Amino acid sequence: MNKKTAAVIGTGVIGNGWIVRLLAHGYEVKAFDPAEGAEAKTKEAISKAWPSVQEMGLADNASPAAVTFYPTIEETVSGSVLIQENVPERTELKQKVLKDISRYADPDTIIGSSTSGIKPSVLQKGAVNPGRIIVAHPFNPVYLLPLVELVGGEHTDSPVIHRARTLYEDIGMKSMIIEKEIEGHVADRLMEALWREALHIVNDGIATTEEVDKAITYGAGLRWAQMGPFLTFHLAGGDQGMRHMLEQFGPALKLPWTKLEAPELTDELKEKVIAGCEQHAGDESIAELERKRNEFLVKLLDLVEDYWPEKKEVRA
């Protein structure tokens, strides 16, 4: 069976996550990263992640060795059916790299950016055939978490997004097509809202970092893994569902419970958060915590699919 070829530009945590996912689905990967030691770090990342993707299930022709680093962007992107850009989150740098990619990529190849916050219309500026440059924002660890937010820019038409959806679903992703571009897209904005509230709670001495994590782990998080916030509240309304929930609890939305702006990130708050996380983690290293996280996610994803199989396309 011939392998399809994909290119990954930028091989940090997210780039390497894409590489592992692509390899696990039987792709050959061409990689580029000018940073010293990048290739060695990628091989180490593949080695650490491979047991988890093996447990999830591999394509028949999957190989952890099917990745090759190239010295230039031009050599890397040539002949690739999908190109994923993952350079640091700086607008001018991303625009420059994407412009270079677009010069050398095959004319119709989809170019996805892993940006977590920049609008696609901004990324498209100055590029060749800019409409095929889209946001394809994943979540860490990319090789396990299947959600990808697909966002087109002002030059993007529907066929490009639908072609992109097919490509990403070929590597096991669940596509969330966002109809209107906004900074931060959708999922990160939801997570940031929770993060702001968490920082306020710690900053005001209401609860520790460990207690905040417990509130999510044993409360909302268990429900959200299956249904998300809307269906969770739909059930909270009893037999009448969301209609009753909004009538009963809607007025409370105007109460000043939440703090919409993030607290000032003072040295004192930083130390509270850092010390709390370090105390919570105890003697376990980051590597050990990652291993446990991966083991948990593999089991959880199986459970989610059993109880609430997602449709192929999710729109926002």
Side-chain angles (χ1 to χ4, degrees), residues 157-305:
D157 55 20
S158 293
V160 169
I161 289 292
H162 291 293
R163 191 154 55 90
R165 181 186 65 198
T166 299
L167 285 169
Y168 286 104
E169 289 180 352
D170 187 50
I171 56 172
M173 303 300 283
K174 306 258 186 207
S175 301
M176 177 181 179
I177 297 178
I178 298 174
E179 302 288 357
K180 184 177 180 181
E181 55 180 327
I182 54 172
E183 292 88 351
H185 323 314
V186 172
D188 271 2
R189 289 174 72 119
L190 293 170
M191 289 189 291
E192 284 292 333
L194 178 60
W195 175 234
R196 286 193 297 272
E197 291 298 313
L199 287 175
H200 275 296
I201 287 168
V202 172
N203 191 50
D204 296 345
I206 297 165
T208 65
T209 58
E210 183 174 1
E211 289 165 336
V212 170
D213 280 357
K214 188 181 292 183
I216 300 302
T217 301
Y218 297 108
L222 288 173
R223 297 181 299 188
W224 289 346
Q226 184 191 18
M227 291 187 175
F230 280 106
L231 274 185
T232 294
F233 281 125
H234 184 54
L235 294 185
D239 290 342
Q240 295 179 40
M242 182 63 80
R243 183 176 303 279
H244 178 68
M245 201 287 296
L246 289 176
E247 290 173 355
Q248 182 78 7
F249 301 106
L253 293 174
K254 289 192 175 289
L255 292 176
W257 287 353
T258 62
K259 300 186 178 184
L260 297 179
E261 293 186 4
E264 187 69 31
L265 197 58
T266 61
D267 289 342
E268 182 183 4
L269 177 54
K270 286 180 185 177
E271 286 307 312
K272 274 187 179 180
V273 172
I274 293 167
C277 290
E278 289 177 346
Q279 182 178 353
H280 191 183
D283 295 331
E284 292 188 292
S285 66
I286 295 295
E288 176 62 14
L289 290 171
E290 286 179 341
R291 185 194 66 76
K292 285 186 172 181
R293 176 203 65 190
N294 289 357
E295 185 178 301
F296 173 81
L297 286 176
V298 168
K299 293 177 180 178
L300 182 61
L301 284 167
D302 283 343
L303 191 62
V304 170
E305 288 295 328

Side-chain angles (χ1 to χ4, degrees), residues 104-115:
Y104 300 120
D106 295 346
D108 295 325
T109 300
I110 298 289
I111 303 169
S113 174
S114 296
T115 179

